[in-house]
Amino acid sequence: MGCLVSAPAQTQGKSALALEQLMKDLAQVKSARGRFVERKYLAMLNAPLESSGTLVYVAPGRLEKHMLSPRQESLILDGDRLIIDNKATGQRRTLPLQEHPVLWAFVESIRSTLAGDLPTLQRFYEVRLEGDAGAWRLRLKPREPRMRQAASEIRVGGSGTWVKVIEIDETGGDRSVTEITREAG
């Protein structure tokens, strides 16, 4: 695989080509499964809130987040709808993403990265790639004003075709860090 470096000194053409190569490589992944630990750092708390569970991705548009701790809840993204299934309460809701533009933008930061869908990613974000094939990071700056009110930047980092970390900086100073490890088998 070619070099995936995108530095300010490089020309836009070279940066775009490297970004396109990463997206092509990611688009080759048909499914992935891993465990996640998410830490939410809130200004009003001394310690982060932590949740954990599993993530499942099936190309091109299905993403499942099954939280196991501290509560059992599933978020299932299937095409243009998000299904929220709370095991404790037995409640299940379906949200059409087009009716929730900020949520849709958050979803696409992850799904479009996993799918290698650069046009959709660029619809919602200004995209900048840093690093190389062994340790890359996408820096996503929201394009839409409503999304910019919620998040100042999303960073998605990985190695090769594996997404290892997703960091979200909220505009109010809160942030979340989700670390993802491959499941054996």
Side-chain angles (χ1 to χ4, degrees):
M1 180 188 313
C3 183
L4 296 175
V5 175
S6 174
Q10 289 184 303
T11 66
Q12 182 62 30
K14 288 184 182 177
S15 296
L17 180 62
L19 179 58
E20 288 173 5
Q21 183 61 53
L22 173 63
M23 292 291 115
K24 284 179 185 176
D25 293 344
L26 289 169
Q28 298 305 307
V29 176
K30 299 306 173 203
S31 67
R33 187 176 183 88
R35 298 194 61 76
F36 76 89
V37 175
E38 180 180 52
R39 291 177 185 88
K40 291 188 179 188
Y41 298 87
L42 305 173
M44 63 192 321
L45 298 178
N46 292 329
L49 298 175
E50 189 172 295
S51 61
S52 61
T54 61
L55 291 172
V56 178
Y57 168 71
V58 179
R62 186 170 178 92
L63 183 60
E64 301 176 14
K65 179 180 181 180
H66 301 285
M67 186 173 14
L68 302 173
S69 174
R71 66 182 182 280
Q72 290 191 344
E73 181 176 77
S74 294
L75 302 174
I76 301 169
L77 177 64
D78 192 10
D80 65 351
R81 61 193 174 110
L82 178 66
I83 301 162
I84 303 168
D85 189 6
N86 186 317
K87 308 291 187 211
T89 65
Q91 289 184 316
R92 184 178 176 107
R93 296 184 328 175
T94 301
L95 304 173
L97 290 176
Q98 289 82 357
E99 294 177 13
H100 305 276
V102 172
L103 178 60
W104 189 11
F106 271 121
V107 162
E108 290 302 344
S109 70
I110 300 163
R111 177 171 57 185
S112 295
T113 298
L114 292 171
D117 183 354
L118 185 56
T120 299
L121 199 59
Q122 289 176 324
R123 175 181 172 191
F124 292 97
Y125 299 96
E126 294 174 20
V127 181
R128 195 170 99 216
L129 176 63
E130 300 173 337
D132 59 32
W136 53 265
R137 179 165 68 170
L138 292 174
R139 296 180 73 118
L140 309 175
K141 297 271 190 188
R143 290 187 183 277
E144 296 294 321
R146 283 184 283 184
M147 182 61 182
R148 283 195 307 264
Q149 290 175 352
S152 58
E153 183 175 73
I154 297 173
R155 292 175 300 284
V156 181
S159 177
T161 58
W162 184 256
V163 172
K164 291 180 168 185
V165 65
I166 301 164
E167 302 171 84
I168 301 171
D169 291 341
E170 296 179 27
T171 53
D174 296 339
R175 66 186 181 96
S176 68
V177 178
T178 302
E179 295 175 345
I180 306 163
T181 55
R182 291 182 204 250
E183 279 194 339

